[in-house]
Amino acid sequence: MKSITIQKIESLNHNVRRIVTEKPDEYTFKPGQATLVAVDQEEMREEKRPFTFTSLPEEAHLEFTIKIYPDHEGVTAAIDRLQEGDNLLIEDPWGAITFQGPGTFIAGGAGLTPFLAILRNQAKKPDSGVNRLFFSNHTEKDLFLRKELEEVTDGNLLLTFTKEEVPGAEHGRIDLEFLKKHGEDSGQTFYVCGPPEMVEDVSRNLKKMRVTSEKIVTEES
């Protein structure tokens, strides 16, 4: 594993942190890829968890956008106790979700993070290929990076909250009714990431709308 020093820590909401680190020489990855991360402390080095790079490959630093689970007392809780100057350990990058053509992105909570580098990368292109982003959270306080998401999707951001009603947003889960109401061409690619149950439900409902398995991109596909 490679040791990297934390350069900046920023809170994006009550439980999501932006971690910026140095980048090892000749370390490369594709937008959407992930790596195994551990805290570089004696008692934590064998506790590895997958996190997606939210920086772009050409940038001089690495960035991770991490949801903290303090009740679990695991890796994310340990990360939340770190300070600038502390170290993380990373392995080589690996698959996860990569851009496979124009489509709609469907994210639940921290499931947005595998999409961030893809959305940022596509936004730099004349034809971004991002038809729309559906982003589901429990409450408005769980939302993060709203302004940037509006920018990288060229305004094609649709928010929904499952546990409260928020003006200008949908209320409820991304279920079959939601997809039928807001769905577009069923021949496009759909990128889905979030809690396993959500990914399963959304994928099943997309298939009911005659979207083929090949057009549904998940971390397992």
Side-chain angles (χ1 to χ4, degrees):
M1 297 187 80
K2 300 174 177 64
S3 182
I4 52 175
T5 301
I6 296 174
Q7 299 172 332
K8 183 178 180 180
I9 300 174
E10 178 185 2
S11 291
L12 300 181
N13 69 10
H14 68 103
N15 65 354
V16 176
R17 310 288 179 258
R18 176 177 179 258
I19 311 288
V20 177
T21 76
E22 64 182 353
K23 183 179 181 181
D25 292 340
E26 300 181 1
Y27 192 88
T28 60
F29 59 92
K30 295 178 181 178
Q33 286 192 310
T35 186
L36 288 176
V37 177
V39 174
D40 194 3
Q41 296 173 352
E42 186 173 354
E43 69 278 11
M44 295 296 296
R45 290 186 184 117
E46 298 305 315
E47 297 292 325
K48 306 172 187 177
R49 297 293 183 272
F51 294 109
T52 311
F53 302 104
T54 52
S55 49
L56 295 178
E58 63 268 22
E59 292 178 312
H61 62 270
L62 296 178
E63 176 190 295
F64 301 93
T65 303
I66 297 174
K67 183 174 181 178
I68 304 300
Y69 298 91
D71 296 341
H72 295 186
E73 275 305 315
V75 172
T76 66
I79 288 174
D80 203 34
R81 292 191 289 268
L82 297 178
Q83 300 178 357
E84 295 172 9
D86 288 336
N87 288 352
L88 296 173
L89 296 169
I90 60 171
E91 294 192 347
D92 291 334
W94 48 271
I97 292 176
T98 56
F99 187 70
Q100 298 182 31
T104 291
F105 292 75
I106 303 173
L112 175 73
T113 57
F115 296 155
L116 279 174
I118 295 174
L119 294 171
R120 289 167 173 169
N121 189 54
Q122 292 303 122
K124 297 166 58 179
K125 302 180 180 181
D127 182 6
S128 76
V130 179
N131 295 340
R132 209 163 190 192
L133 168 62
F134 301 151
F135 188 21
S136 175
N137 286 280
H138 289 315
T139 65
E140 192 170 18
K141 76 172 186 177
D142 299 314
L143 179 62
F144 57 99
L145 296 177
R146 178 174 184 168
K147 184 177 179 181
E148 183 184 3
L149 294 176
E150 289 173 343
E151 292 173 353
V152 297
T153 62
D154 197 23
N156 293 312
L157 170 66
L158 180 59
L159 301 174
T160 185
F161 299 95
T162 58
K163 294 187 176 180
E164 71 177 13
E165 294 191 18
V166 177
E170 291 285 318
H171 176 57
R173 300 172 63 186
I174 301 178
D175 54 15
L176 182 58
E177 181 181 354
F178 180 103
L179 293 168
K180 285 182 175 179
K181 180 180 178 181
H182 300 289
E184 299 172 358
D185 174 20
S186 61
Q188 68 177 310
T189 299
F190 289 86
Y191 301 84
V192 187
C193 192
E197 182 181 347
M198 174 197 167
V199 173
E200 203 173 292
D201 288 346
V202 170
S203 299
R204 182 171 58 250
N205 287 326
L206 286 171
K207 290 175 183 177
K208 289 180 181 178
M209 295 171 60
R210 299 186 179 179
V211 179
T212 63
S213 297
E214 294 75 20
K215 291 292 186 178
I216 303 173
V217 179
T218 67
E219 287 185 302
E220 279 72 44
S221 61

Coordinates of all heavy atoms in Angstrom, one line a residue, residues 87-129:
N87 N -1.7 10.5 7.8 CA -1.6 9.7 6.6 C -2.7 8.7 6.4 O -3.2 8.1 7.4 CB -0.2 9.0 6.6 CG 0.9 10.0 6.3 OD1 0.7 11.1 6.0 ND2 2.1 9.5 6.4
L88 N -3.0 8.4 5.1 CA -3.8 7.3 4.8 C -3.0 6.3 3.9 O -1.9 6.7 3.4 CB -5.0 7.8 3.9 CG -6.0 8.7 4.6 CD1 -7.0 9.2 3.5 CD2 -6.8 8.0 5.7
L89 N -3.5 5.1 3.8 CA -2.8 4.1 2.9 C -3.8 3.8 1.8 O -5.0 3.6 2.0 CB -2.5 2.9 3.7 CG -1.5 3.0 4.8 CD1 -1.4 1.8 5.7 CD2 -0.1 3.3 4.3
I90 N -3.3 3.7 0.6 CA -4.2 3.3 -0.6 C -3.5 2.2 -1.4 O -2.3 2.1 -1.3 CB -4.5 4.5 -1.5 CG1 -3.2 5.1 -2.1 CG2 -5.3 5.6 -0.7 CD1 -3.4 6.1 -3.2
E91 N -4.3 1.4 -2.1 CA -3.8 0.4 -3.0 C -4.0 0.9 -4.4 O -4.3 2.1 -4.7 CB -4.5 -0.9 -2.7 CG -4.2 -1.5 -1.4 CD -4.7 -2.9 -1.2 OE1 -5.5 -3.4 -2.1 OE2 -4.4 -3.6 -0.2
D92 N -3.8 0.0 -5.4 CA -4.0 0.4 -6.8 C -5.5 0.6 -7.1 O -6.3 0.1 -6.4 CB -3.4 -0.7 -7.7 CG -1.9 -0.8 -7.6 OD1 -1.3 0.2 -7.3 OD2 -1.4 -2.0 -7.9
P93 N -5.8 1.4 -8.1 CA -7.2 1.7 -8.4 C -7.8 0.4 -9.0 O -7.1 -0.4 -9.6 CB -7.1 2.8 -9.4 CG -5.8 2.8 -10.0 CD -4.9 2.2 -8.9
W94 N -9.1 0.3 -8.9 CA -9.8 -0.8 -9.6 C -11.2 -0.3 -10.0 O -11.7 0.7 -9.7 CB -10.0 -2.0 -8.6 CG -10.5 -1.6 -7.2 CD1 -9.7 -1.2 -6.1 CD2 -11.9 -1.5 -6.8 NE1 -10.6 -1.0 -5.1 CE2 -11.8 -1.1 -5.4 CE3 -13.1 -1.8 -7.4 CZ2 -13.0 -1.0 -4.7 CZ3 -14.2 -1.6 -6.6 CH2 -14.2 -1.2 -5.3
G95 N -11.8 -1.1 -10.9 CA -13.1 -0.9 -11.6 C -14.2 -0.2 -11.0 O -14.2 0.8 -10.8
A96 N -15.2 -0.5 -10.3 CA -16.4 0.3 -9.9 C -17.1 0.8 -11.2 O -17.2 0.1 -12.2 CB -16.0 1.4 -9.0
I97 N -17.6 2.0 -11.1 CA -18.4 2.5 -12.2 C -17.6 3.4 -13.1 O -16.9 4.3 -12.6 CB -19.7 3.3 -11.7 CG1 -20.6 2.3 -10.9 CG2 -20.4 4.0 -12.8 CD1 -21.8 3.0 -10.3
T98 N -17.7 3.2 -14.4 CA -17.1 4.1 -15.4 C -18.1 4.6 -16.4 O -19.1 3.9 -16.6 CB -15.9 3.4 -16.1 OG1 -16.3 2.2 -16.7 CG2 -14.8 3.1 -15.1
F99 N -17.8 5.7 -17.1 CA -18.8 6.2 -18.1 C -18.8 5.3 -19.3 O -17.8 4.9 -19.9 CB -18.3 7.6 -18.5 CG -19.3 8.3 -19.4 CD1 -20.5 8.8 -18.9 CD2 -19.0 8.6 -20.7 CE1 -21.4 9.5 -19.7 CE2 -19.9 9.2 -21.5 CZ -21.1 9.7 -21.0
Q100 N -20.1 5.0 -19.6 CA -20.3 4.1 -20.8 C -21.3 4.6 -21.8 O -21.9 3.9 -22.5 CB -20.8 2.7 -20.2 CG -19.8 2.0 -19.3 CD -20.3 0.7 -18.8 OE1 -21.0 0.0 -19.5 NE2 -19.8 0.3 -17.6
G101 N -21.4 5.9 -21.8 CA -22.2 6.6 -22.8 C -23.3 7.5 -22.2 O -23.5 7.4 -21.0
P102 N -23.9 8.3 -23.0 CA -24.9 9.3 -22.5 C -26.0 8.6 -21.7 O -26.4 7.5 -22.0 CB -25.5 9.9 -23.7 CG -24.4 9.7 -24.8 CD -23.7 8.4 -24.4
G103 N -26.4 9.2 -20.6 CA -27.5 8.6 -19.8 C -27.9 9.4 -18.6 O -27.4 10.5 -18.4
T104 N -28.7 8.8 -17.8 CA -29.2 9.3 -16.5 C -28.5 8.7 -15.3 O -28.4 7.5 -15.3 CB -30.7 9.2 -16.4 OG1 -31.4 10.0 -17.4 CG2 -31.3 9.5 -15.1
F105 N -28.1 9.5 -14.4 CA -27.5 9.0 -13.2 C -28.5 9.1 -12.0 O -29.2 10.1 -11.8 CB -26.3 9.9 -12.9 CG -25.1 9.8 -13.9 CD1 -25.2 10.4 -15.1 CD2 -24.0 9.1 -13.6 CE1 -24.2 10.3 -16.1 CE2 -23.0 8.9 -14.5 CZ -23.1 9.5 -15.8
I106 N -28.5 8.0 -11.3 CA -29.5 7.8 -10.2 C -28.7 7.5 -8.9 O -28.1 6.4 -8.8 CB -30.5 6.7 -10.5 CG1 -31.2 7.0 -11.8 CG2 -31.5 6.6 -9.3 CD1 -32.2 5.9 -12.2
A107 N -28.7 8.4 -7.9 CA -27.8 8.2 -6.8 C -28.6 8.3 -5.5 O -29.5 9.1 -5.4 CB -26.7 9.2 -6.7
G108 N -28.3 7.5 -4.5 CA -28.9 7.6 -3.2 C -27.8 7.9 -2.1 O -26.9 7.1 -2.0
G109 N -27.9 9.0 -1.5 CA -27.0 9.3 -0.4 C -25.5 9.3 -0.8 O -25.1 9.9 -1.8
A110 N -24.7 8.6 -0.1 CA -23.3 8.5 -0.4 C -23.0 7.8 -1.8 O -21.9 7.8 -2.3 CB -22.5 7.7 0.7
G111 N -24.1 7.2 -2.3 CA -24.0 6.6 -3.7 C -23.7 7.6 -4.7 O -23.3 7.2 -5.9
L112 N -23.7 8.9 -4.4 CA -23.3 9.9 -5.4 C -21.8 9.9 -5.6 O -21.4 10.2 -6.7 CB -23.7 11.3 -4.8 CG -23.3 12.5 -5.7 CD1 -24.1 12.6 -6.9 CD2 -23.4 13.8 -4.9
T113 N -21.0 9.5 -4.6 CA -19.6 9.7 -4.8 C -18.9 9.0 -6.0 O -18.1 9.5 -6.6 CB -18.9 9.3 -3.5 OG1 -19.2 7.9 -3.1 CG2 -19.3 10.2 -2.3
P114 N -19.4 7.8 -6.4 CA -18.8 7.2 -7.6 C -19.1 8.0 -8.8 O -18.4 7.8 -9.9 CB -19.4 5.8 -7.6 CG -19.8 5.5 -6.2 CD -20.2 6.8 -5.7
F115 N -20.1 8.8 -8.8 CA -20.5 9.6 -10.0 C -19.7 11.0 -10.0 O -19.7 11.6 -11.1 CB -22.0 9.9 -10.0 CG -22.9 8.7 -10.1 CD1 -24.2 8.7 -9.6 CD2 -22.4 7.5 -10.7 CE1 -25.0 7.6 -9.7 CE2 -23.2 6.4 -10.8 CZ -24.5 6.5 -10.3
L116 N -19.2 11.4 -8.9 CA -18.7 12.8 -8.9 C -17.6 13.0 -9.9 O -17.6 14.0 -10.7 CB -18.2 13.1 -7.5 CG -19.2 13.6 -6.5 CD1 -18.6 13.7 -5.1 CD2 -19.9 14.8 -6.9
A117 N -16.6 12.2 -10.0 CA -15.5 12.4 -10.9 C -16.0 12.3 -12.4 O -15.6 13.0 -13.2 CB -14.4 11.4 -10.7
I118 N -17.0 11.3 -12.6 CA -17.5 11.2 -13.9 C -18.3 12.5 -14.3 O -18.1 13.0 -15.4 CB -18.5 10.0 -14.0 CG1 -17.7 8.7 -13.7 CG2 -19.2 9.9 -15.3 CD1 -18.6 7.4 -13.6
L119 N -19.1 13.0 -13.4 CA -19.9 14.2 -13.7 C -18.9 15.4 -14.0 O -19.1 16.2 -14.9 CB -20.8 14.5 -12.6 CG -22.0 13.5 -12.4 CD1 -22.7 13.8 -11.1 CD2 -22.9 13.5 -13.5
R120 N -17.9 15.5 -13.1 CA -17.0 16.6 -13.3 C -16.2 16.5 -14.6 O -15.9 17.5 -15.3 CB -16.0 16.6 -12.1 CG -16.6 17.0 -10.8 CD -15.8 16.8 -9.6 NE -16.3 17.3 -8.4 CZ -15.9 17.1 -7.1 NH1 -14.9 16.2 -6.9 NH2 -16.5 17.7 -6.1
N121 N -15.8 15.3 -15.0 CA -15.1 15.0 -16.2 C -15.9 15.3 -17.4 O -15.5 16.0 -18.4 CB -14.5 13.6 -16.2 CG -13.6 13.4 -17.3 OD1 -12.6 14.1 -17.5 ND2 -13.8 12.4 -18.2
Q122 N -17.2 14.8 -17.4 CA -18.1 15.0 -18.5 C -18.4 16.5 -18.7 O -18.7 16.9 -19.8 CB -19.3 14.2 -18.4 CG -19.1 12.6 -18.5 CD -18.4 12.2 -19.8 OE1 -17.4 11.6 -19.8 NE2 -19.1 12.6 -20.9
A123 N -18.5 17.2 -17.6 CA -18.9 18.6 -17.7 C -17.9 19.5 -18.5 O -18.2 20.5 -19.0 CB -19.1 19.2 -16.3
K124 N -16.7 19.0 -18.6 CA -15.6 19.7 -19.3 C -15.7 19.5 -20.8 O -15.0 20.2 -21.5 CB -14.2 19.2 -18.8 CG -14.0 19.5 -17.3 CD -12.8 18.7 -16.8 CE -11.5 19.0 -17.6 NZ -10.4 18.2 -17.1
K125 N -16.6 18.6 -21.2 CA -16.7 18.3 -22.7 C -17.9 19.0 -23.3 O -18.8 19.4 -22.7 CB -16.9 16.8 -22.8 CG -15.7 16.0 -22.2 CD -15.9 14.5 -22.4 CE -14.7 13.7 -21.8 NZ -14.9 12.3 -21.9
P126 N -17.8 19.3 -24.6 CA -18.8 20.1 -25.3 C -20.2 19.4 -25.2 O -21.2 20.0 -25.0 CB -18.3 20.1 -26.8 CG -16.8 19.9 -26.7 CD -16.6 19.0 -25.5
D127 N -20.2 18.1 -25.3 CA -21.4 17.3 -25.2 C -21.2 16.4 -24.0 O -20.6 15.3 -24.1 CB -21.7 16.5 -26.4 CG -23.0 15.7 -26.3 OD1 -23.7 15.9 -25.3 OD2 -23.3 14.9 -27.2
S128 N -21.7 16.7 -22.8 CA -21.4 16.1 -21.6 C -21.8 14.6 -21.5 O -21.2 13.8 -20.8 CB -21.9 16.8 -20.4 OG -23.3 16.6 -20.2
G129 N -23.0 14.3 -22.1 CA -23.5 13.0 -22.0 C -24.2 12.7 -20.8 O -24.7 11.6 -20.5

